[in-house]
Amino acid sequence: MRLSRSRRPLGAVRRHDHEGAGDGHPPRALVLALVLACVSLMLLDRGDESAIDPARRAVGEVVGPAQSGVSAAIRPVVELPDFFRSREEMRAELASLEAENAGLRTEVRTSDYRRNKLAELEGLTSAAEDLGYALLPARVVGLGSSQTFTNTVTIDAGSASGLAPDMTVVNNDGLVGRILRVTRTSATVLLLVDADSTVGGRIGESMELGFLQGRGVIGGTARLDLELLDQRLVPSKGDTVVTWGSLGGEGEPSGPYVAGVPIGEVVSVYSSLRESSQRAVIDPFVDFSELDLVGVVVPSGTRSDRAVVEADGSLR
């Protein structure tokens, strides 16, 4: 038996061959048309005034605003890392400036205090030279309790610094008082103005002797009463009073008050007819309401846990 062959129209085969269907490539006519179009556009775009400039401008007028809008919309997102980095840098700079300003404010606020501390230390050095005694610097760290009915202060030096009871305490203005008792790290000082304080003094150029008694008042109204041993002597207003005291062996200090420490000056004089005596009112040189840095008179060469201002003004 013979199998019959299927016949295809000849025209169908030819169309298939010309269209190039199934071979994966575009028709040659389409490629040729695209090439010619590109060449034409290149020729038209040559020269100063291109024939396609109007079309290009039209496209730019339509596309340009859209591009600007898109760029403005995405700029915050694109610049977001730099934004946070800038904010952190600004915060760090602001914190640095605030710290610097705080330091400057503190320096301004404490400049007077530091200046006063320096002046007190320099004054204490001068006092050591003027008095001829070694001084151990100490700071007032507390006031005596009002329940004790005594005027005392606590200083931040004690037996470990070489201090002991009945040592003279001064500052750069004059006599402060004497040490009552000590611990290892502190000492209690009985102030000159305490009502139980009695100090021997010499007055004016006459160097007449007398005894000074405190009134128990601290501050601008603090006063001392001076009674002279020679009742015939009448002190003059403005006369200076210094401690009586006495020298120890070989120029060493003796307690409880060394000699020659300024106490105050006479502000008034009155007579007691009943007692037939002359009394003078003394305004102390020291302002006891503002005590800070003081110096305790110690023997030269005292072993201490802190520096000592020697009689020649040097630190040891």
Side-chain angles (χ1 to χ4, degrees):
M1 179 184 296
R2 294 183 178 178
L3 296 176
S4 61
R5 298 180 179 177
S6 59
R7 297 181 178 180
R8 292 180 298 175
L10 183 58
V13 174
R14 289 178 179 175
R15 280 197 304 273
H16 178 76
D17 293 338
H18 286 290
E19 292 176 0
D23 60 0
H25 298 284
R28 285 191 293 272
L30 178 58
V31 174
L32 181 60
L34 290 174
V35 171
L36 291 175
C38 290
V39 172
S40 300
L41 288 173
M42 292 172 64
L43 292 175
L44 290 173
D45 196 34
R46 295 183 61 184
D48 296 335
E49 185 65 27
S50 175
I52 63 173
D53 279 349
R56 182 183 294 154
R57 284 194 294 269
V59 173
E61 291 176 357
V62 174
V63 176
Q67 289 178 331
S68 299
V70 172
S71 177
I74 67 173
R75 184 179 296 114
V77 178
V78 174
E79 296 179 353
L80 194 60
D82 292 334
F83 172 76
F84 283 114
R85 184 164 56 251
S86 298
R87 284 182 63 87
E88 291 301 324
E89 292 175 355
M90 290 176 63
R91 287 177 179 173
E93 184 176 358
L94 180 60
S96 176
L97 290 175
E98 288 178 346
E100 183 178 356
N101 288 338
L104 291 174
R105 285 194 298 268
T106 302
E107 184 176 351
V108 170
R109 291 168 182 168
T110 60
S111 60
D112 291 339
Y113 174 70
R114 287 182 294 166
R115 188 161 47 246
N116 288 337
K117 285 174 60 178
L118 180 60
E120 287 181 340
L121 183 57
E122 291 177 347
L124 207 61
T125 302
S126 298
E129 294 178 295
D130 294 339
L131 296 174
Y133 297 115
L135 299 178
L136 187 139
R139 291 206 171 275
V140 173
V141 293
L143 298 175
S145 172
S146 60
Q147 297 175 351
T148 62
F149 300 102
T150 57
N151 297 118
T152 61
V153 294
T154 301
I155 58 176
D156 64 351
S159 59
S161 301
L163 303 187
D166 286 337
M167 283 185 166
T168 307
V169 181
V170 302
N171 71 358
N172 55 324
D173 291 323
L175 183 64
V176 172
R178 64 182 175 90
I179 293 181
L180 281 179
R181 50 187 174 271
V182 299
T183 66
R184 177 174 172 77
T185 58
S186 66
T188 301
V189 178
L190 180 68
L191 300 180
L192 171 66
V193 291
D194 184 78
D196 292 332
S197 173
T198 301
V199 182
R202 294 181 181 271
I203 187 167
E205 296 180 358
S206 67
M207 299 296 286
E208 289 292 332
L209 301 178
F211 292 97
L212 295 106
Q213 187 79 30
R215 295 183 177 181
V217 177
I218 293 179
T221 59
R223 294 292 185 268
L224 304 168
D225 292 312
L226 171 64
E227 183 175 355
L228 295 174
L229 296 181
D230 187 351
Q231 300 298 326
R232 298 170 299 175
L233 179 67
V234 179
S236 300
K237 185 176 181 180
D239 282 347
T240 299
V241 181
V242 299
T243 54
W244 180 351
S246 61
L247 293 178
E250 297 182 358
E252 293 298 321
S254 60
Y257 299 103
V258 297
V261 180
I263 296 176
E265 67 176 11
V266 177
V267 292
S268 62
V269 179
Y270 63 92
S271 301
S272 173
L273 296 178
R274 177 179 300 178
E275 299 177 3
S276 300
S277 63
Q278 299 284 345
R279 290 179 179 269
V281 178
I282 309 301
D283 182 13
F285 291 132
V286 174
D287 187 344
F288 294 92
S289 64
E290 297 181 355
L291 286 177
D292 183 21
L293 182 66
V294 299
V296 182
V297 178
V298 294
S300 180
T302 295
R303 298 184 62 180
S304 176
D305 60 358
R306 63 181 64 191
V308 176
V309 183
E310 290 292 345
D312 59 1
S314 63
L315 287 176
R316 179 186 56 78

